[in-house]
Amino acid sequence: METVSENRVFGGTQGVYRHAASSTNCEMTFALFLPEKAQFGTVPLLWYLSGLTCTHENAMTKAGAQAWCAEAGIAICFPDTSPRGEGVADDDAFDLGKGAGFYVNATQDPWAPHFRMWDYVTDELPALLAEHFPVDADRQSITGHSMGGHGALTAAMRLPGRFQSVSAFAPIAHPTTSDWGRKQFKAYLGEDEATWKEHDATLLMRERGFNGPVLIDQGTDDNFVDLLKPEALAEAMAARRQPGQLRLQKGYDHSYFFMSTFMEEHVAFHAEALHG
């Protein structure tokens, strides 16, 4: 593993690291903030999964999470959103290929050799962090934005017991019925729509739910709201009587201004679950 950079911030360390990933068969880059408390022992870990077109860098520099994580004494990891490099398949559209991994394991060509982001973010990268950094494998939570909100919700419900809490900012909530989902699932997973269901937060909420607290924020002025379908997830949560909140935030859009506004509340929400 190569250290790309390390900077002191809010008493802790914001690092960027690169490694050869076996799951994606290419080099991957991720960012990890460790609070000052990590100098003295293991700390809880919050995962932040980013949205379409993003890398590890977007949330690291724009979301403002480090200050609140430092105060709460928790680490936060920002993985990349897709494999990258020469030989990795891509598409001219912004919502397919590089920057648009959708946190699935692709089974179709030309995507299958590298686009295995589910294995990367739920298996390989957590094992790497546990081996090299003072993070507590038993105290982890997850959040994300848009495509990353989709990834966070599906990971939380498909991996019971892994995460203490889950939150999301404007998640793609019902991708099997949206152009942000159907297009990508068909490309990555093929025509059999039965294989898509385990990557749909609304369907997973109906069938499984989450054994822990849930917090979702959605801006009312989000220009992508018809693609995100928060109303479907709200109905599923209500039908299941899932403990949690889905809050409609008046006037907010899909940008990082929205996320940075409510990041303090999301970190506090996770800190309460992680610290018990």
mmCIF file of all heavy atoms in Angstrom, residues 209-245:
data_model
loop_
_atom_site.group_PDB
_atom_site.id
_atom_site.type_symbol
_atom_site.label_atom_id
_atom_site.label_comp_id
_atom_site.label_asym_id
_atom_site.label_seq_id
_atom_site.Cartn_x
_atom_site.Cartn_y
_atom_site.Cartn_z
ATOM 1 N N GLY A 209 -35.568 -5.060 5.954
ATOM 2 C CA GLY A 209 -35.380 -3.958 6.873
ATOM 3 C C GLY A 209 -33.968 -3.932 7.436
ATOM 4 O O GLY A 209 -33.078 -4.673 6.995
ATOM 5 N N PHE A 210 -33.769 -3.071 8.420
ATOM 6 C CA PHE A 210 -32.455 -2.907 9.034
ATOM 7 C C PHE A 210 -32.604 -2.942 10.546
ATOM 8 O O PHE A 210 -33.443 -2.228 11.108
ATOM 9 C CB PHE A 210 -31.821 -1.586 8.595
ATOM 10 C CG PHE A 210 -30.495 -1.297 9.236
ATOM 11 C CD1 PHE A 210 -29.396 -2.098 8.973
ATOM 12 C CD2 PHE A 210 -30.349 -0.231 10.119
ATOM 13 C CE1 PHE A 210 -28.162 -1.844 9.581
ATOM 14 C CE2 PHE A 210 -29.129 0.040 10.721
ATOM 15 C CZ PHE A 210 -28.036 -0.782 10.445
ATOM 16 N N ASN A 211 -31.801 -3.736 11.191
ATOM 17 C CA ASN A 211 -31.874 -3.886 12.641
ATOM 18 C C ASN A 211 -31.048 -2.797 13.325
ATOM 19 O O ASN A 211 -30.011 -3.052 13.936
ATOM 20 C CB ASN A 211 -31.379 -5.267 13.068
ATOM 21 C CG ASN A 211 -31.597 -5.522 14.548
ATOM 22 O OD1 ASN A 211 -32.495 -4.935 15.151
ATOM 23 N ND2 ASN A 211 -30.785 -6.378 15.137
ATOM 24 N N GLY A 212 -31.514 -1.582 13.191
ATOM 25 C CA GLY A 212 -30.807 -0.443 13.757
ATOM 26 C C GLY A 212 -31.442 0.842 13.267
ATOM 27 O O GLY A 212 -32.399 0.833 12.489
ATOM 28 N N PRO A 213 -30.931 1.991 13.704
ATOM 29 C CA PRO A 213 -31.517 3.276 13.316
ATOM 30 C C PRO A 213 -31.166 3.669 11.880
ATOM 31 O O PRO A 213 -30.085 3.372 11.376
ATOM 32 C CB PRO A 213 -30.907 4.255 14.316
ATOM 33 C CG PRO A 213 -29.616 3.626 14.725
ATOM 34 C CD PRO A 213 -29.843 2.146 14.685
ATOM 35 N N VAL A 214 -32.111 4.345 11.235
ATOM 36 C CA VAL A 214 -31.976 4.796 9.850
ATOM 37 C C VAL A 214 -32.268 6.288 9.790
ATOM 38 O O VAL A 214 -33.230 6.764 10.397
ATOM 39 C CB VAL A 214 -32.964 4.048 8.926
ATOM 40 C CG1 VAL A 214 -32.866 4.574 7.494
ATOM 41 C CG2 VAL A 214 -32.730 2.544 8.963
ATOM 42 N N LEU A 215 -31.436 7.031 9.070
ATOM 43 C CA LEU A 215 -31.662 8.464 8.853
ATOM 44 C C LEU A 215 -31.432 8.780 7.386
ATOM 45 O O LEU A 215 -30.365 8.480 6.841
ATOM 46 C CB LEU A 215 -30.704 9.297 9.716
ATOM 47 C CG LEU A 215 -30.726 10.815 9.472
ATOM 48 C CD1 LEU A 215 -32.104 11.397 9.789
ATOM 49 C CD2 LEU A 215 -29.638 11.504 10.291
ATOM 50 N N ILE A 216 -32.430 9.395 6.750
ATOM 51 C CA ILE A 216 -32.328 9.758 5.331
ATOM 52 C C ILE A 216 -32.770 11.206 5.178
ATOM 53 O O ILE A 216 -33.835 11.599 5.679
ATOM 54 C CB ILE A 216 -33.193 8.835 4.455
ATOM 55 C CG1 ILE A 216 -32.700 7.390 4.562
ATOM 56 C CG2 ILE A 216 -33.162 9.295 2.998
ATOM 57 C CD1 ILE A 216 -33.655 6.370 4.009
ATOM 58 N N ASP A 217 -31.954 11.998 4.491
ATOM 59 C CA ASP A 217 -32.309 13.369 4.161
ATOM 60 C C ASP A 217 -32.460 13.516 2.658
ATOM 61 O O ASP A 217 -31.606 13.031 1.887
ATOM 62 C CB ASP A 217 -31.235 14.347 4.666
ATOM 63 C CG ASP A 217 -31.444 14.711 6.121
ATOM 64 O OD1 ASP A 217 -32.608 14.864 6.534
ATOM 65 O OD2 ASP A 217 -30.436 14.843 6.855
ATOM 66 N N GLN A 218 -33.525 14.195 2.250
ATOM 67 C CA GLN A 218 -33.799 14.441 0.836
ATOM 68 C C GLN A 218 -34.199 15.892 0.660
ATOM 69 O O GLN A 218 -35.097 16.387 1.342
ATOM 70 C CB GLN A 218 -34.932 13.534 0.352
ATOM 71 C CG GLN A 218 -35.428 13.837 -1.051
ATOM 72 C CD GLN A 218 -34.373 13.584 -2.100
ATOM 73 O OE1 GLN A 218 -33.883 12.475 -2.248
ATOM 74 N NE2 GLN A 218 -34.001 14.621 -2.858
ATOM 75 N N GLY A 219 -33.516 16.594 -0.246
ATOM 76 C CA GLY A 219 -33.866 17.975 -0.526
ATOM 77 C C GLY A 219 -35.116 18.071 -1.379
ATOM 78 O O GLY A 219 -35.290 17.317 -2.339
ATOM 79 N N THR A 220 -35.999 19.037 -1.049
ATOM 80 C CA THR A 220 -37.229 19.179 -1.826
ATOM 81 C C THR A 220 -36.996 19.806 -3.191
ATOM 82 O O THR A 220 -37.823 19.666 -4.091
ATOM 83 C CB THR A 220 -38.258 20.035 -1.062
ATOM 84 O OG1 THR A 220 -37.708 21.347 -0.838
ATOM 85 C CG2 THR A 220 -38.607 19.396 0.278
ATOM 86 N N ASP A 221 -35.857 20.515 -3.369
ATOM 87 C CA ASP A 221 -35.546 21.129 -4.661
ATOM 88 C C ASP A 221 -34.477 20.349 -5.427
ATOM 89 O O ASP A 221 -33.802 20.897 -6.301
ATOM 90 C CB ASP A 221 -35.073 22.574 -4.456
ATOM 91 C CG ASP A 221 -36.224 23.515 -4.132
ATOM 92 O OD1 ASP A 221 -37.350 23.022 -3.892
ATOM 93 O OD2 ASP A 221 -36.011 24.741 -4.103
ATOM 94 N N ASP A 222 -34.355 19.091 -5.121
ATOM 95 C CA ASP A 222 -33.413 18.216 -5.820
ATOM 96 C C ASP A 222 -33.917 17.982 -7.239
ATOM 97 O O ASP A 222 -35.013 17.442 -7.446
ATOM 98 C CB ASP A 222 -33.314 16.888 -5.060
ATOM 99 C CG ASP A 222 -32.172 16.007 -5.540
ATOM 100 O OD1 ASP A 222 -31.916 15.973 -6.766
ATOM 101 O OD2 ASP A 222 -31.557 15.338 -4.693
ATOM 102 N N ASN A 223 -33.121 18.379 -8.230
ATOM 103 C CA ASN A 223 -33.570 18.252 -9.610
ATOM 104 C C ASN A 223 -33.548 16.814 -10.109
ATOM 105 O O ASN A 223 -34.031 16.528 -11.212
ATOM 106 C CB ASN A 223 -32.716 19.138 -10.534
ATOM 107 C CG ASN A 223 -31.234 18.895 -10.389
ATOM 108 O OD1 ASN A 223 -30.737 18.759 -9.272
ATOM 109 N ND2 ASN A 223 -30.505 18.857 -11.490
ATOM 110 N N PHE A 224 -33.013 15.882 -9.303
ATOM 111 C CA PHE A 224 -32.999 14.473 -9.692
ATOM 112 C C PHE A 224 -34.018 13.642 -8.905
ATOM 113 O O PHE A 224 -33.985 12.412 -8.963
ATOM 114 C CB PHE A 224 -31.602 13.872 -9.462
ATOM 115 C CG PHE A 224 -30.516 14.545 -10.244
ATOM 116 C CD1 PHE A 224 -29.523 15.263 -9.601
ATOM 117 C CD2 PHE A 224 -30.480 14.469 -11.632
ATOM 118 C CE1 PHE A 224 -28.514 15.882 -10.317
ATOM 119 C CE2 PHE A 224 -29.468 15.087 -12.354
ATOM 120 C CZ PHE A 224 -28.473 15.796 -11.696
ATOM 121 N N VAL A 225 -34.918 14.302 -8.189
ATOM 122 C CA VAL A 225 -35.770 13.567 -7.251
ATOM 123 C C VAL A 225 -36.637 12.514 -7.936
ATOM 124 O O VAL A 225 -36.927 11.453 -7.357
ATOM 125 C CB VAL A 225 -36.636 14.554 -6.429
ATOM 126 C CG1 VAL A 225 -37.707 15.211 -7.294
ATOM 127 C CG2 VAL A 225 -37.238 13.858 -5.225
ATOM 128 N N ASP A 226 -37.045 12.739 -9.183
ATOM 129 C CA ASP A 226 -37.865 11.744 -9.882
ATOM 130 C C ASP A 226 -37.081 10.481 -10.196
ATOM 131 O O ASP A 226 -37.675 9.405 -10.358
ATOM 132 C CB ASP A 226 -38.431 12.337 -11.180
ATOM 133 C CG ASP A 226 -39.494 13.394 -10.910
ATOM 134 O OD1 ASP A 226 -40.090 13.377 -9.814
ATOM 135 O OD2 ASP A 226 -39.725 14.247 -11.795
ATOM 136 N N LEU A 227 -35.749 10.592 -10.291
ATOM 137 C CA LEU A 227 -34.905 9.423 -10.484
ATOM 138 C C LEU A 227 -34.598 8.726 -9.161
ATOM 139 O O LEU A 227 -34.333 7.515 -9.137
ATOM 140 C CB LEU A 227 -33.592 9.829 -11.159
ATOM 141 C CG LEU A 227 -33.680 10.333 -12.600
ATOM 142 C CD1 LEU A 227 -32.375 10.999 -13.007
ATOM 143 C CD2 LEU A 227 -33.997 9.181 -13.538
ATOM 144 N N LEU A 228 -34.635 9.472 -8.071
ATOM 145 C CA LEU A 228 -34.257 8.929 -6.764
ATOM 146 C C LEU A 228 -35.392 8.144 -6.108
ATOM 147 O O LEU A 228 -35.148 7.176 -5.391
ATOM 148 C CB LEU A 228 -33.824 10.073 -5.841
ATOM 149 C CG LEU A 228 -32.700 10.965 -6.362
ATOM 150 C CD1 LEU A 228 -32.472 12.145 -5.426
ATOM 151 C CD2 LEU A 228 -31.416 10.163 -6.535
ATOM 152 N N LYS A 229 -36.626 8.604 -6.269
ATOM 153 C CA LYS A 229 -37.836 7.930 -5.774
ATOM 154 C C LYS A 229 -37.847 7.734 -4.249
ATOM 155 O O LYS A 229 -38.041 6.618 -3.744
ATOM 156 C CB LYS A 229 -38.030 6.600 -6.499
ATOM 157 C CG LYS A 229 -38.200 6.761 -8.010
ATOM 158 C CD LYS A 229 -38.541 5.462 -8.701
ATOM 159 C CE LYS A 229 -38.722 5.653 -10.198
ATOM 160 N NZ LYS A 229 -39.901 6.483 -10.538
ATOM 161 N N PRO A 230 -37.671 8.799 -3.480
ATOM 162 C CA PRO A 230 -37.699 8.665 -2.019
ATOM 163 C C PRO A 230 -39.054 8.229 -1.487
ATOM 164 O O PRO A 230 -39.140 7.601 -0.424
ATOM 165 C CB PRO A 230 -37.330 10.068 -1.537
ATOM 166 C CG PRO A 230 -37.745 10.978 -2.655
ATOM 167 C CD PRO A 230 -37.439 10.201 -3.905
ATOM 168 N N GLU A 231 -40.144 8.555 -2.218
ATOM 169 C CA GLU A 231 -41.471 8.197 -1.743
ATOM 170 C C GLU A 231 -41.650 6.685 -1.672
ATOM 171 O O GLU A 231 -42.348 6.162 -0.783
ATOM 172 C CB GLU A 231 -42.554 8.831 -2.631
ATOM 173 C CG GLU A 231 -42.605 8.324 -4.065
ATOM 174 C CD GLU A 231 -41.526 8.884 -4.981
ATOM 175 O OE1 GLU A 231 -40.777 9.791 -4.541
ATOM 176 O OE2 GLU A 231 -41.429 8.405 -6.117
ATOM 177 N N ALA A 232 -40.998 5.942 -2.582
ATOM 178 C CA ALA A 232 -41.107 4.481 -2.548
ATOM 179 C C ALA A 232 -40.438 3.922 -1.299
ATOM 180 O O ALA A 232 -40.972 3.017 -0.638
ATOM 181 C CB ALA A 232 -40.468 3.882 -3.803
ATOM 182 N N LEU A 233 -39.263 4.464 -0.943
ATOM 183 C CA LEU A 233 -38.575 4.000 0.252
ATOM 184 C C LEU A 233 -39.351 4.403 1.508
ATOM 185 O O LEU A 233 -39.436 3.621 2.474
ATOM 186 C CB LEU A 233 -37.164 4.580 0.297
ATOM 187 C CG LEU A 233 -36.286 4.161 1.477
ATOM 188 C CD1 LEU A 233 -36.145 2.647 1.543
ATOM 189 C CD2 LEU A 233 -34.915 4.814 1.383
ATOM 190 N N ALA A 234 -39.948 5.587 1.521
ATOM 191 C CA ALA A 234 -40.739 6.026 2.671
ATOM 192 C C ALA A 234 -41.922 5.090 2.893
ATOM 193 O O ALA A 234 -42.229 4.711 4.041
ATOM 194 C CB ALA A 234 -41.228 7.463 2.458
ATOM 195 N N GLU A 235 -42.580 4.700 1.817
ATOM 196 C CA GLU A 235 -43.714 3.774 1.935
ATOM 197 C C GLU A 235 -43.253 2.422 2.466
ATOM 198 O O GLU A 235 -43.937 1.806 3.296
ATOM 199 C CB GLU A 235 -44.392 3.622 0.577
ATOM 200 C CG GLU A 235 -45.125 4.870 0.116
ATOM 201 C CD GLU A 235 -45.588 4.778 -1.336
ATOM 202 O OE1 GLU A 235 -45.374 3.712 -1.960
ATOM 203 O OE2 GLU A 235 -46.154 5.770 -1.841
ATOM 204 N N ALA A 236 -42.089 1.955 1.994
ATOM 205 C CA ALA A 236 -41.567 0.669 2.458
ATOM 206 C C ALA A 236 -41.204 0.727 3.934
ATOM 207 O O ALA A 236 -41.455 -0.222 4.696
ATOM 208 C CB ALA A 236 -40.358 0.260 1.621
ATOM 209 N N MET A 237 -40.610 1.841 4.367
ATOM 210 C CA MET A 237 -40.263 1.996 5.782
ATOM 211 C C MET A 237 -41.514 2.018 6.646
ATOM 212 O O MET A 237 -41.561 1.399 7.724
ATOM 213 C CB MET A 237 -39.442 3.271 5.989
ATOM 214 C CG MET A 237 -38.042 3.216 5.417
ATOM 215 S SD MET A 237 -37.130 4.782 5.597
ATOM 216 C CE MET A 237 -36.968 4.893 7.390
ATOM 217 N N ALA A 238 -42.530 2.728 6.191
ATOM 218 C CA ALA A 238 -43.773 2.804 6.959
ATOM 219 C C ALA A 238 -44.457 1.445 7.034
ATOM 220 O O ALA A 238 -44.939 1.039 8.100
ATOM 221 C CB ALA A 238 -44.704 3.837 6.333
ATOM 222 N N ALA A 239 -44.499 0.727 5.916
ATOM 223 C CA ALA A 239 -45.145 -0.583 5.898
ATOM 224 C C ALA A 239 -44.441 -1.569 6.816
ATOM 225 O O ALA A 239 -45.086 -2.419 7.444
ATOM 226 C CB ALA A 239 -45.197 -1.117 4.470
ATOM 227 N N ARG A 240 -43.131 -1.463 6.893
ATOM 228 C CA ARG A 240 -42.368 -2.370 7.730
ATOM 229 C C ARG A 240 -42.266 -1.881 9.176
ATOM 230 O O ARG A 240 -41.799 -2.601 10.045
ATOM 231 C CB ARG A 240 -40.951 -2.552 7.154
ATOM 232 C CG ARG A 240 -40.207 -3.697 7.829
ATOM 233 C CD ARG A 240 -38.910 -4.045 7.171
ATOM 234 N NE ARG A 240 -38.358 -5.202 7.833
ATOM 235 C CZ ARG A 240 -38.666 -6.457 7.557
ATOM 236 N NH1 ARG A 240 -39.528 -6.715 6.582
ATOM 237 N NH2 ARG A 240 -38.151 -7.455 8.232
ATOM 238 N N ARG A 241 -42.676 -0.641 9.412
ATOM 239 C CA ARG A 241 -42.504 0.004 10.720
ATOM 240 C C ARG A 241 -41.024 0.027 11.118
ATOM 241 O O ARG A 241 -40.651 -0.267 12.245
ATOM 242 C CB ARG A 241 -43.354 -0.678 11.785
ATOM 243 C CG ARG A 241 -44.846 -0.581 11.505
ATOM 244 C CD ARG A 241 -45.669 -1.273 12.570
ATOM 245 N NE ARG A 241 -47.102 -1.076 12.343
ATOM 246 C CZ ARG A 241 -47.844 -1.837 11.545
ATOM 247 N NH1 ARG A 241 -47.285 -2.861 10.900
ATOM 248 N NH2 ARG A 241 -49.127 -1.597 11.394
ATOM 249 N N GLN A 242 -40.222 0.406 10.135
ATOM 250 C CA GLN A 242 -38.785 0.506 10.335
ATOM 251 C C GLN A 242 -38.456 1.702 11.222
ATOM 252 O O GLN A 242 -38.839 2.837 10.911
ATOM 253 C CB GLN A 242 -38.080 0.670 8.990
ATOM 254 C CG GLN A 242 -36.613 1.042 9.077
ATOM 255 C CD GLN A 242 -35.751 -0.090 9.603
ATOM 256 O OE1 GLN A 242 -35.867 -1.212 9.151
ATOM 257 N NE2 GLN A 242 -34.884 0.193 10.554
ATOM 258 N N PRO A 243 -37.743 1.496 12.340
ATOM 259 C CA PRO A 243 -37.310 2.652 13.141
ATOM 260 C C PRO A 243 -36.392 3.553 12.315
ATOM 261 O O PRO A 243 -35.403 3.080 11.746
ATOM 262 C CB PRO A 243 -36.552 2.008 14.308
ATOM 263 C CG PRO A 243 -37.060 0.609 14.376
ATOM 264 C CD PRO A 243 -37.363 0.220 12.955
ATOM 265 N N GLY A 244 -36.731 4.801 12.218
ATOM 266 C CA GLY A 244 -35.890 5.712 11.453
ATOM 267 C C GLY A 244 -36.639 6.937 10.996
ATOM 268 O O GLY A 244 -37.831 7.112 11.279
ATOM 269 N N GLN A 245 -35.919 7.795 10.273
ATOM 270 C CA GLN A 245 -36.494 9.033 9.769
ATOM 271 C C GLN A 245 -36.132 9.222 8.307
ATOM 272 O O GLN A 245 -35.002 8.956 7.909
ATOM 273 C CB GLN A 245 -35.946 10.238 10.534
ATOM 274 C CG GLN A 245 -36.259 10.272 12.006
ATOM 275 C CD GLN A 245 -35.691 11.532 12.629
ATOM 276 O OE1 GLN A 245 -36.182 12.649 12.412
ATOM 277 N NE2 GLN A 245 -34.621 11.379 13.388
#
